[in-house]
Amino acid sequence: MELKPYTRKTFFYETDQMGIIHHSNYIRWFEEARFDLLEQIGYGSDFLEREKLGSPVLNVSCQYKAMTRFNEEVAIRVVVLECSKAKLTFSYQVVGTQDQVVRATGESSHCFLNEAGKIISIQRQFPALYQLLNEEI
């Protein structure tokens, strides 16, 4: 399946006193892009809500490469690095759409929890989702 990068324009409130995007926003952008990927494959927030699933962050990292400023557009490319029975790992690349300069890269790992807060096997409970995610690797 051909996935589109998630694009967004940066906002003034995301900047710091130096006029550049504050580093904490990149983690938020990773989340936006991750949910966009899930929407593109048909398993977005509606699915998670309907199935009463949680998907907490187990870890997240970000390496900053170049500054991003107010009113610039960035594209966030998301790739599924790993999809096991209970763990899902994504990688991210934030790129300026005008200059194609890599602004940041990162990774995040997640699991899926049921309504009771127990880790579930997506391979067993949602085999079609598991297969789709593994096709993206």
Side-chain angles (χ1 to χ4, degrees):
M1 174 183 288
E2 183 76 24
L3 296 175
K4 298 176 191 166
Y6 173 70
T7 59
R8 72 181 314 281
K9 206 158 198 161
T10 60
F11 296 101
F12 181 75
Y13 74 85
E14 295 174 309
T15 62
D16 61 17
Q17 288 182 323
M18 295 181 289
I20 60 174
I21 299 301
H22 190 269
H23 66 276
S24 64
N25 290 294
Y26 292 85
I27 304 302
R28 291 182 182 97
W29 297 351
F30 292 174
E31 180 177 0
E32 292 173 13
R34 183 171 63 251
F35 273 92
D36 181 68
L37 177 144
L38 292 172
E39 291 285 344
Q40 287 186 58
I41 65 171
Y43 288 89
S45 23
D46 289 350
F47 167 77
L48 296 173
E49 290 291 319
R50 184 176 57 253
E51 298 296 331
K52 296 181 172 44
L53 294 176
S55 182
V57 174
L58 301 174
N59 64 51
V60 64
S61 66
C62 185
Q63 296 77 47
Y64 304 98
K65 307 291 185 181
M67 291 184 284
T68 306
R69 298 184 186 285
F70 164 61
N71 213 30
E72 290 183 326
E73 185 179 74
V74 292
I76 299 112
R77 298 182 183 119
V78 185
V79 174
V80 178
L81 287 182
E82 176 192 5
C83 180
S84 67
K85 293 176 186 178
K87 186 177 174 186
L88 184 57
T89 302
F90 296 97
S91 76
Y92 308 90
Q93 185 180 58
V94 180
V95 178
T97 60
Q98 294 297 314
D99 58 12
Q100 299 304 304
V101 171
V102 175
R103 309 303 174 84
T105 59
E107 290 185 11
S108 66
S109 295
H110 311 263
C111 64
F112 285 97
L113 303 178
N114 64 16
E115 191 174 17
K118 303 277 188 204
I119 295 176
I120 63 163
S121 165
I122 60 168
Q123 181 182 26
R124 185 172 47 249
Q125 293 193 331
F126 303 101
L129 173 58
Y130 179 79
Q131 182 178 349
L132 268 174
L133 291 169
N134 274 293
E135 286 173 4
E136 293 304 316
I137 295 176

